[in-house]
Amino acid sequence: HTAAAAAAMFWGMKLEPGRWTPFVPPPDVAMRLHVSQATARGDALKDGERVVIKMRCESDEAVLAGIDPETETMSDDEDGFEKEEYRVATLIGGRVETQGLDLVLDEYAEFTVEGSCGVDLTGYYMPEFGDEDVDDEDGMYGEEYDSEEEDEEFAADDMDALESESDDDDDDD
């Protein structure tokens, strides 16, 4: 992994009403996108007006069937695979103009807005951790760590130190 892949990086996307905007994962980078917030842009959202943020992505059926959208066709859709559409948030002028999200994406998806104003999506790329990236007990503590055995030793040392302090306090009186 590169140094850039090890750190979280900011991401943002500007959505316009009625236009689908694609998210295309960066090629050859082991990162996932975490979309964490949707915010109405500017003062265009009038009091009580609703704006709906929608997302569409490859259907679960295609994913579960192992169908590659680049080479196989599931429907007559121009992209060659079935897309499911989801409402991910609703913003309401004067009440809810920013909404927290928890969307994690590692494949192509598209976003749009239904309503009269644009929306900013923000989040961050986060590294993917596979089996080779998982630290064992040696890696986490720098040396082999037998937590149960060392915790017992630590507790016994703490008790000795507390008793010693208590004895010292009694001598001061």
Side-chain angles (χ1 to χ4, degrees), residues 11 13 15-16 19-23 33 35 53-56 88 103 105 109-113 121:
W11 171 87
M13 176 183 281
L15 303 179
E16 298 300 331
R19 192 176 109 221
W20 286 96
T21 304
F23 162 70
L33 173 64
V35 181
I53 298 104
K54 290 184 172 184
M55 177 181 122
R56 65 183 176 194
V88 295
L103 302 172
L105 305 173
E110 297 171 326
F111 295 91
T112 193
V113 176
L121 293 181

Side-chain angles (χ1 to χ4, degrees), residues 24 30 45 128 143 145 147 156 162:
V24 180
L45 191 56
E128 279 189 30
E143 60 184 48
Y145 177 75
S147 59
L162 287 173

Side-chain angles (χ1 to χ4, degrees), residues 132-151:
E132 71 277 357
D133 295 329
V134 177
D135 286 334
D136 57 12
E137 289 184 353
D138 291 347
M140 183 178 271
Y141 297 103
E143 60 184 48
E144 190 165 329
Y145 177 75
D146 183 354
S147 59
E148 196 171 303
E149 195 173 292
E150 289 192 20
D151 285 346

Side-chain angles (χ1 to χ4, degrees), residues 5 10 43 58 61 69 89 94 103 105 119 143 149 153 160 168:
F10 176 81
D43 296 328
E58 187 176 341
E61 291 80 21
L103 302 172
L105 305 173
V119 170
E143 60 184 48
E149 195 173 292
E153 289 175 16
D160 291 343
D168 290 345

Side-chain angles (χ1 to χ4, degrees), residues 69-130:
E70 301 298 321
T71 61
E72 299 184 45
T73 301
M74 277 190 58
S75 70
D76 295 333
D77 195 6
E78 67 183 49
D79 294 333
F81 65 98
E82 187 70 32
K83 291 180 190 167
E84 295 286 335
E85 193 172 294
Y86 303 94
R87 296 171 70 134
V88 295
T90 301
L91 305 177
I92 304 169
R95 295 184 190 105
V96 181
E97 296 187 3
T98 297
Q99 177 67 51
L101 301 172
D102 191 14
L103 302 172
V104 178
L105 305 173
D106 60 0
E107 295 196 9
Y108 180 89
E110 297 171 326
F111 295 91
T112 193
V113 176
E114 276 184 5
S116 64
C117 82
V119 170
D120 292 335
L121 293 181
T122 56
Y124 54 92
Y125 285 104
M126 54 188 197
E128 279 189 30
F129 294 104

Side-chain angles (χ1 to χ4, degrees), residues 158-172:
D158 280 351
M159 288 304 293
D160 291 343
L162 287 173
E163 288 173 2
S164 171
E165 284 178 23
S166 175
D167 291 343
D168 290 345
D169 288 343
D170 290 343
D171 292 342
D172 292 340

